[in-house]
Amino acid sequence: MALFITDSNNVLGKYVEEAGQYNVKVANSSTTKNSNSGKPMLVLDYEVVDGPYKGGLIRYDNMVWDDSDQSHEDMSIRRFNTFTSAMGVPDGVKVESLQQLLSTAIGHELSVVVDWQQAQNGKWYLTVQRQAKVLDGGSKPNGKKRPEEGTANNNNGFGGNNFANQQQPDNNQGAQDLNDVPF
């Protein structure tokens, strides 16, 4: 009986080398914690499920819940509705806490659009620009590789996010509990 069978696709250190849109699943390494400002947030890690970067990780998609005023709360609701919609959660489901949402989300698939963004330390990292439903045709890297360190950040001034927020209807009547949803 063999101890294991060698497999070059089952190795440590796989990572995504191109921007684009990827089919992913929410990885077990995702967590909840508080942001630097003390607000609750999800820190989502995604694992690519198909294509040339299958098994690669896209890390640190921070989703902050901010209910400091009505405008911020409305934006948080839209942000988290985008995430749940991308995973296929039906309308009308009550989400009681970020921890509940995270424990339900782990392992579920969606797609993410990622692009290169320069951090304050001058290094470039892939950052999630938006979330969407799984792509029927599979992941689509766009050929845009990590820029050289020291090159200027030429995004649109908003982290490279060229996608407008889409307003979601406020339908809290007849909501069911997230734990009872078969998705």
Side-chain angles (χ1 to χ4, degrees), residues 23-76:
N23 287 331
V24 296
K25 69 178 178 180
V26 179
N28 291 336
S29 56
S30 300
T31 186
T32 60
K33 64 182 196 176
N34 287 332
S35 68
N36 291 339
S37 62
K39 294 176 177 30
M41 73 177 184
L42 292 180
V43 180
L44 298 169
D45 294 339
Y46 305 105
E47 182 180 334
V48 178
V49 297
D50 60 17
Y53 297 109
K54 182 178 181 178
L57 290 178
I58 299 169
R59 302 195 51 163
Y60 309 120
D61 182 16
N62 297 334
M63 293 179 56
V64 177
W65 180 264
D66 184 352
D67 59 1
S68 59
D69 61 37
Q70 192 61 53
S71 174
H72 284 97
E73 184 174 15
D74 290 347
M75 183 59 76
S76 291

Side-chain angles (χ1 to χ4, degrees), residues 1-175:
M1 184 90 178
L3 179 62
F4 72 98
I5 299 174
T6 60
D7 181 355
S8 63
N9 292 312
N10 187 17
V11 298
L12 296 173
K14 286 187 134 186
Y15 57 94
V16 179
E17 297 180 29
E18 297 176 60
Q21 187 167 4
Y22 293 93
N23 287 331
V24 296
K25 69 178 178 180
V26 179
N28 291 336
S29 56
S30 300
T31 186
T32 60
K33 64 182 196 176
N34 287 332
S35 68
N36 291 339
S37 62
K39 294 176 177 30
M41 73 177 184
L42 292 180
V43 180
L44 298 169
D45 294 339
Y46 305 105
E47 182 180 334
V48 178
V49 297
D50 60 17
Y53 297 109
K54 182 178 181 178
L57 290 178
I58 299 169
R59 302 195 51 163
Y60 309 120
D61 182 16
N62 297 334
M63 293 179 56
V64 177
W65 180 264
D66 184 352
D67 59 1
S68 59
D69 61 37
Q70 192 61 53
S71 174
H72 284 97
E73 184 174 15
D74 290 347
M75 183 59 76
S76 291
I77 291 169
R78 283 188 208 105
R79 182 180 308 112
F80 283 86
N81 271 335
T82 300
F83 177 58
T84 58
S85 175
M87 289 188 302
V89 176
D91 291 346
V93 175
K94 285 184 191 177
V95 177
E96 303 294 337
S97 70
L98 294 186
Q99 183 59 49
Q100 176 205 30
L101 176 58
L102 178 63
S103 62
T104 304
I106 289 176
H108 281 87
E109 293 186 5
L110 64 150
S111 72
V112 293
V113 174
V114 295
D115 202 355
W116 296 104
Q117 186 171 12
Q118 193 172 28
Q120 290 179 342
N121 65 7
K123 296 185 181 204
W124 291 87
Y125 299 97
L126 277 178
T127 59
V128 175
Q129 305 298 305
R130 72 178 175 102
Q131 302 149 330
K133 294 188 183 295
V134 171
L135 295 168
D136 287 335
S139 294
K140 295 181 172 125
N142 66 12
K144 188 175 170 187
K145 300 242 180 181
R146 181 187 310 265
E148 296 293 321
E149 287 186 36
T151 57
N153 184 350
N154 293 323
N155 65 29
N156 65 4
F158 298 98
N161 187 351
N162 294 316
F163 302 98
N165 289 319
Q166 296 178 359
Q167 187 168 355
Q168 301 281 330
D170 182 11
N171 182 7
N172 199 18
Q173 297 181 358

